[in-house]
């Protein structure tokens, strides 16, 4: 039985914030919400984080470097070099030092510069050198927030893997009411804690993921395929890797790149190639996710040269079934493995997903429907319901695919914790 001192130490470890010992770059830009950054900085330092503040020149008009330096215990970085000594501030070193970069508030100007690589200040230059995860908390007036250019720039940053901490609706500096108010520092701090807690959540886990479409060749220049871009599968791979997992991604033909060096990527083209490449990773995996949109059929025969239409009025095409990758691999599932499928439906969505869950011997199915605006192929967002083999289910609102990936990981973590 543990002694009282042992119990105290265990309790302290359990109560320790996940930010303790982490290196965080806190970027502050020129908006009235900069005053909230002081509270965020205080929360981070109080809970054991080492914080380096990088502030834009306009940010200093709202909050002084003296205040920020007193709270962080470090000189505040704003310019590329110190004017009186010539000391150079290396944005590269900052990018390598940090475990996380958080920009709060992030103005429309800074968001635009980040999205388009305009490195005209120390903060944006540090962002462009960052190897770590980046979060931003936008803050601006409602008209600026709703402007197409802001939406476009935020979409670009999401595509680049930046996490957007959505602003709240409320009274703004203009005294108008609407969306654009920076999220409260306490909520931003909780999200940072969740991020670092998630790093440990999947540590040591082996994860195999299929993603993207498959292309089934008709001839050297034509194929049967679908509209999948692989965004959901790649978001899952990046988030699992960020959460500490050892990830193998078996990916159909997509244009997207993977960023995390912990991801082992195997590129394939056809369903048969995907199955062959998946067999070993899924056999070894603790968690397997079938996010690929695999073609159900392939041409029975493939022409060796381009099929010409001259002199041919009609063309008949005979198709044969492709292997069912999820069903084939899940049939070999061993005790302790978790296999999760995806179901993209157009009608009778819930019934079809539930049938897929049972038929393919899966532990859960992630359902998304093309009836929901913003869900499905080619979008940066998704709206999902997770159906479990035990009959339980959970529905989530429309979110970015990176946020959806985090929801799926959190869901898996809760299931594992309950076992």
């Amino acid at each position: 039985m543990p002694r009282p001192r042992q119990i105290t130490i265990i309790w302290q470890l359990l109560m320790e914030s996940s930010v303790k010992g982490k290196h965080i770059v806190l970027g502050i830009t020129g908006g009235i919400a900069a005053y909230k950054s002081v509270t965020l900085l205080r929360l981070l330092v109080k809970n054991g984080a080492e914080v380096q503040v990088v502030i834009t020149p306009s940010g200093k008009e709202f909050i002084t470097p003296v205040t920020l330096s007193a709270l962080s215990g470090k000189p505040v970085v704003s310019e590329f070099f110190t004017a009186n000594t010539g000391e150079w501030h290396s944005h590269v070193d900052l990018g390598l030092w940090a475990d996380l970069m958080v920009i709060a508030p992030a103005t429309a100007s800074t968001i635009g510069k980040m999205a388009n690589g305009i490195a005209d200040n120390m903060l944006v230059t540090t962002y462009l050198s960052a190897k770590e995860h980046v979060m931003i908390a936008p803050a601006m007036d409602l008209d600026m927030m709703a402007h197409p250019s802001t939406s476009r720039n935020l979409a670009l940053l999401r595509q680049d893997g930046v996490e957007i901490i959505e602003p709240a609706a409320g009274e703004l500096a203009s005294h108008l009411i609407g969306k654009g108010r920076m999220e409260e520092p306490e909520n931003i701090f909780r999200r940072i804690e969740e991020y670092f807690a998630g790093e440990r959540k999947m540590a040591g886990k082996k994860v195999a993921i299929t993603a993207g479409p498959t292309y089934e060749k008709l001839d050297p220049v034509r194929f049967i395929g679908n509209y999948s871009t692989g965004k959901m599968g790649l978001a899952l791979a990046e988030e699992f890797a960020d959460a500490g997992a050892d990830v193998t991604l078996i990916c159909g033909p997509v244009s997207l790149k993977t960023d995390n060096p912990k991801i082992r990527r195997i590129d394939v083209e056809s369903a048969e190639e995907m199955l062959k490449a998946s067999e070993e990773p899924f056999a070894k995996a603790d968690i397997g996710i079938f996010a690929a949109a695999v073609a159900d059929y392939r041409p029975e025969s493939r022409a060796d040269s381009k099929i010409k239409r001259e002199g041919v009025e009609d063309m008949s095409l005979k198709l044969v079934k492709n292997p069912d990758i999820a069903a084939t691999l899940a049939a070999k599932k061993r005790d302790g493995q978790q296999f999760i499928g995806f179901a993209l439906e157009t009608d009778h969505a819930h019934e079809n997903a539930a049938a897929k869950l049972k038929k393919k011997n899966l532990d859960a199915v992630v359902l998304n429907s093309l009836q929901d605006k913003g869900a499905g192929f080619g979008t940066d967002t998704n709206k999902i319901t997770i159906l479990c083999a035990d009959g339980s289910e959970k529905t989530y609102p429309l979110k970015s695919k990176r946020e959806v990936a985090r929801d799926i990981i959190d869901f898996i973590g809760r299931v594992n914790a309950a076992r």
Side-chain angles (χ1 to χ4, degrees):
M1 184 174 180
R3 297 174 182 175
R5 177 170 170 76
Q6 289 175 316
I7 292 171
T8 301
I9 292 170
I10 291 167
W11 177 252
Q12 286 173 343
L13 288 171
L14 290 172
M15 294 299 290
E16 243 177 36
S17 172
S18 61
V19 307
K20 185 175 181 180
K22 298 297 185 182
H23 294 170
I24 298 173
V25 169
L26 176 60
I28 300 174
T29 66
I32 189 62
Y35 78 91
K36 292 183 178 181
S37 303
V38 175
T39 302
L40 177 58
L41 172 58
R42 193 165 178 274
L43 284 168
L44 290 168
V45 172
K46 183 180 177 182
N47 284 277
E50 192 174 340
V51 184
Q52 176 61 64
V53 176
V54 181
I55 191 168
T56 62
S58 60
K60 291 187 288 186
E61 300 295 323
F62 293 88
I63 189 76
T64 68
V66 173
T67 300
L68 298 168
S69 180
L71 289 171
S72 68
K74 290 177 175 290
V76 172
V77 175
S78 180
E79 309 297 339
F80 291 104
F81 58 90
T82 304
N84 58 341
T85 65
E87 180 187 1
W88 177 256
H89 301 136
S90 173
H91 53 88
V92 175
D93 288 347
L94 275 176
L96 294 172
W97 171 83
D99 298 305
L100 176 69
M101 184 176 189
V102 182
I103 301 176
T107 59
S109 174
T110 294
I111 289 168
K113 290 177 181 181
M114 291 171 67
N116 294 281
I118 301 172
D120 66 347
N121 63 44
M122 187 65 182
L123 179 57
V124 178
T125 308
T126 302
Y127 161 70
L128 292 175
S129 299
K131 300 293 187 293
E132 65 278 6
H133 185 59
V134 179
M135 300 178 183
I136 67 169
M140 63 197 76
D141 213 72
L142 74 165
D143 291 332
M144 298 174 73
M145 190 70 210
H147 197 278
S149 64
T150 304
S151 299
R152 185 167 58 250
N153 288 330
L154 287 171
L156 284 171
L157 289 179
R158 284 192 183 95
Q159 188 175 317
D160 290 342
V162 174
E163 180 178 345
I164 314 298
I165 300 174
E166 291 290 338
E171 185 175 358
L172 306 171
S174 63
H175 302 298
L176 298 173
I177 306 295
K179 185 176 180 179
R181 184 183 177 91
M182 185 179 115
E183 182 58 276
E184 295 304 314
E186 294 80 5
N187 293 336
I188 297 173
F189 174 73
R190 276 195 291 272
R191 174 58 205 133
I192 294 169
E193 278 198 309
E194 287 171 2
Y195 170 74
F196 285 121
E199 270 195 335
R200 298 195 296 253
K201 194 180 295 181
M202 293 295 162
K205 296 286 187 184
K206 288 183 171 61
V207 179
I209 302 170
T210 64
T214 63
Y215 288 173
E216 311 298 333
K217 284 185 178 179
L218 289 167
D219 62 23
V221 298
R222 300 182 182 90
F223 61 86
I224 295 172
N226 56 58
Y227 296 115
S228 174
T229 58
K231 288 181 178 180
M232 189 68 251
L234 268 72
L236 280 162
E238 294 286 353
E239 290 296 328
F240 267 108
D242 284 349
D246 178 11
V247 179
T248 300
L249 175 68
I250 303 94
C251 194
V254 301
S255 60
L256 301 177
K257 299 186 184 304
T258 44
D259 297 320
N260 197 306
K262 289 189 288 186
I263 298 172
R264 175 186 172 230
R265 178 166 169 170
I266 304 171
D267 289 300
V268 298
E269 185 173 83
S270 69
E272 290 178 317
E273 290 172 354
M274 183 172 282
L275 175 58
K276 185 176 180 181
S278 298
E279 285 173 344
E280 184 179 345
F282 275 83
K284 294 179 177 179
D286 300 298
I287 300 166
I289 299 185
F290 302 99
V294 182
D296 292 322
Y297 295 90
R298 68 181 185 277
E300 184 180 44
S301 60
R302 298 169 186 168
D304 293 329
S305 56
K306 182 180 176 182
I307 300 169
K308 298 290 188 179
R309 70 174 185 173
E310 285 78 9
V312 180
E313 290 300 319
D314 298 301
M315 179 180 174
S316 296
L317 188 63
K318 186 174 181 180
L319 303 176
V320 294
K321 269 190 176 182
N322 265 326
D324 188 325
I325 295 174
T328 301
L329 298 181
K332 305 172 187 176
K333 185 175 61 171
R334 53 182 166 77
D335 288 344
Q337 284 186 305
Q338 289 174 283
F339 281 4
I340 297 165
F342 268 71
L344 177 62
E345 303 293 342
T346 57
D347 54 88
H348 306 294
H350 194 280
E351 295 87 337
N352 289 335
K356 185 173 190 176
L357 174 65
K358 185 175 181 180
K359 180 181 177 183
K360 300 195 179 186
N361 191 34
L362 299 170
D363 297 285
V365 162
V366 179
L367 166 64
N368 47 178
S369 172
L370 287 179
Q371 302 297 328
D372 292 321
K373 187 177 179 181
F377 291 149
T379 65
D380 292 317
T381 54
N382 207 353
K383 181 181 178 184
I384 66 166
T385 296
I386 302 179
L387 287 70
C388 294
D390 64 6
S392 62
E393 59 183 72
K394 183 172 176 59
T395 299
Y396 298 83
L398 186 73
K399 297 183 179 184
S400 73
K401 286 184 174 174
R402 287 297 289 256
E403 291 171 312
V404 170
R406 285 194 288 274
D407 285 338
I408 293 170
I409 292 173
D410 289 344
F411 177 84
I412 293 170
R414 287 195 297 272
V415 169
N416 288 341
R419 285 181 168 180

